[in-house]
Amino acid sequence: MAVQLDFRFPTPPAPGETLEVAEGVLWLRLPLPFRLDHVNVYLIEDGAGFALLDTGIDDETTRQIWDGLIAGALKGRPLTRILSSHCHPDHIGLAGWLCDRLGLELHATQTEYLDALNIRLDAGALNSEPYRSFYLNHGLDEARIEILLNRGLHYLRMVSHLPRTFNRMMAEETLEIGGRTFEVLTGGGHSAEQAMLYCREGGFILCADQAMAKISPNISVEAIDPNGDPLGAYLRSLRQLKQELPPETLALPGHNLPFVGLGVRIDELIAHHQARCEAILKALQVGPSSALDLVPVVFGRSIDDPHQMSFAFGETLAHVNYLARRKELAIRAGKDGAWTISQPV
Ligand SMILES: [Zn+2]
């Protein structure tokens, strides 16, 4: 995998240090206390200072890194505004803290801003009906359901408050940063309206978590949108990126290394999801299944860690819903409310 990608910058900068990866764009890597142990954020030259795309999570380590950068490592050049690619904690975690502290404005897409706000307004809301039954009826046990239902509270521990206003970034609009034009692209799948910034004249795209060199972003059905088709949205976004961007475009992603070869990587990601769909259809030839029982089919192994399981379950359901929309399988409720997934009739 990924052998055809061209890694121009194989060594990431140390935490708190920056590396210029395109003219006027500095790559900064922030630590994360998870199995995925880092997030990439980018400083984009903006007049005398830098616009910042994404912030890291809100924890003591990341705050200290920002303290150090603001106090000196940016060589007196101020941050001018905060851009947020999407509402996940590793990307928006310190946006409010930085905005307030430095008197800056936030730029985000409307859905990402409102999704972040929604969790903040009622973090415990997911921990109720009909969300609990949704997971129960798809075969999950209580322990795993608790993790899924408490994600709102967990989220708030990693995200500072939000500014009360934001500047809306929208697909097909542009953003002027440091005298250059950045085209706003948005894509669903990993989150509902993730923003990517394409600098045509600079030959690079800040593509956040939509396309990364090694990992495949989590594409999950959420209980709030139980019949949603995030995988369909994701595949549409990948095809759009491949179609619209020249093959030599430098991809500056939210995790892993920057790379050239977006088209190659997009083909791999599409094939990866197609293989998962085929594995589900093959398993259903043997007999009907619950979504839970399809998790090892999709991942090729059993998943014991309950946190991993919550992601894996959402991702499995994304493939199930995708296939159901296309009438390649059927989801039926039994008398006890439990859902059964089977071949279409
Ligand atoms: Zn991320």
Side-chain angles (χ1 to χ4, degrees):
M1 191 183 80
V3 279
Q4 291 145 295
L5 301 186
D6 174 3
F7 295 105
R8 302 276 166 90
F9 307 93
T11 310
E17 288 176 22
T18 59
L19 179 67
E20 186 164 27
V21 283
E23 198 189 331
V25 180
L26 305 182
W27 173 22
L28 176 65
R29 196 166 249 210
L30 298 168
L32 294 177
F34 314 124
R35 208 168 66 148
L36 176 59
D37 63 3
H38 70 274
V39 58
N40 300 325
V41 307
Y42 298 92
L43 295 153
I44 309 161
E45 223 158 44
D46 190 16
F50 295 101
L52 170 67
L53 175 69
D54 291 340
T55 67
I57 60 165
D58 183 3
D59 69 359
E60 212 31 57
T61 309
T62 313
R63 284 188 185 219
Q64 274 174 15
I65 290 173
W66 282 119
D67 283 339
L69 282 161
I70 292 161
L74 295 180
K75 301 186 175 67
R77 297 181 69 176
L79 294 184
T80 54
R81 47 187 148 165
I82 307 296
L83 316 171
S84 176
S85 64
H86 64 295
C87 68
H88 295 167
D90 44 339
H91 300 267
I92 206 172
L94 279 174
W97 182 73
L98 284 166
C99 282
D100 263 20
R101 187 173 159 179
L102 304 170
L104 305 179
E105 293 188 357
L106 175 69
H107 295 249
T109 66
Q110 178 149 316
T111 316
E112 299 298 332
Y113 178 80
L114 293 181
D115 277 355
L117 186 66
N118 181 43
I119 300 172
R120 180 152 302 278
L121 292 177
D122 196 357
L126 263 185
N127 200 343
S128 61
E129 291 299 343
Y131 309 125
R132 180 175 292 276
S133 292
F134 168 74
Y135 293 121
L136 207 58
N137 289 336
H138 271 304
L140 280 187
D141 59 57
E142 287 292 340
R144 288 160 179 161
I145 290 174
E146 279 311 307
I147 290 172
L148 281 156
L149 295 178
N150 286 312
R151 278 188 306 176
L153 297 168
H154 187 54
Y155 177 92
L156 286 191
R157 281 196 285 274
M158 298 184 282
V159 179
S160 70
H161 64 279
L162 274 180
R164 286 188 188 265
T165 62
F166 74 109
N167 296 277
R168 184 175 181 184
M169 293 197 285
M170 258 181 112
E172 297 183 32
E173 290 194 346
T174 58
L175 212 56
E176 296 293 318
I177 307 174
R180 289 193 288 191
T181 299
F182 287 75
E183 298 168 33
V184 178
L185 289 88
T186 61
H190 179 59
S191 61
E193 195 190 358
Q194 179 163 222
M196 295 162 274
L197 295 173
Y198 174 42
C199 181
R200 197 175 287 272
E201 59 186 287
F204 62 87
I205 181 167
L206 299 146
C207 55
D209 288 1
Q210 206 68 346
M212 299 173 280
K214 267 166 88 179
I215 52 178
S216 159
N218 179 248
I219 310 293
S220 274
V221 170
E222 306 287 344
I224 195 169
D225 182 16
N227 304 310
D229 181 20
L231 180 57
Y234 182 59
L235 295 177
R236 282 197 296 281
S237 165
L238 289 181
R239 292 192 184 105
Q240 183 203 12
L241 287 176
K242 189 179 171 184
Q243 199 176 10
E244 291 189 9
L245 301 180
E248 65 276 12
T249 305
L250 173 68
L252 299 172
H255 306 274
N256 302 150
L257 297 174
F259 65 98
V260 174
L262 253 177
V264 172
R265 183 59 184 141
I266 284 170
D267 287 346
E268 284 178 349
L269 288 164
I270 292 172
H272 164 80
H273 289 292
Q274 275 166 349
R276 289 184 160 186
C277 287
E278 280 157 23
I280 289 175
L281 294 177
K282 200 169 157 212
L284 295 180
Q285 286 172 4
V286 180
S289 176
S290 69
L292 182 68
D293 290 337
L294 288 172
V295 172
V297 170
V298 164
F299 285 82
R301 62 192 162 88
S302 66
I303 292 173
D304 300 320
D305 175 74
H307 281 276
Q308 289 300 320
M309 183 54 167
S310 65
F311 286 113
F313 173 77
E315 177 123 2
T316 298
L317 213 47
H319 291 79
V320 167
N321 280 7
Y322 174 82
L323 291 166
R325 287 251 177 146
R326 285 147 191 86
K327 302 205 169 14
E328 293 188 55
L329 57 73
I331 309 173
R332 268 186 289 265
K335 283 204 184 72
D336 58 355
W339 296 100
T340 303
I341 298 153
S342 63
Q343 289 185 312
V345 278

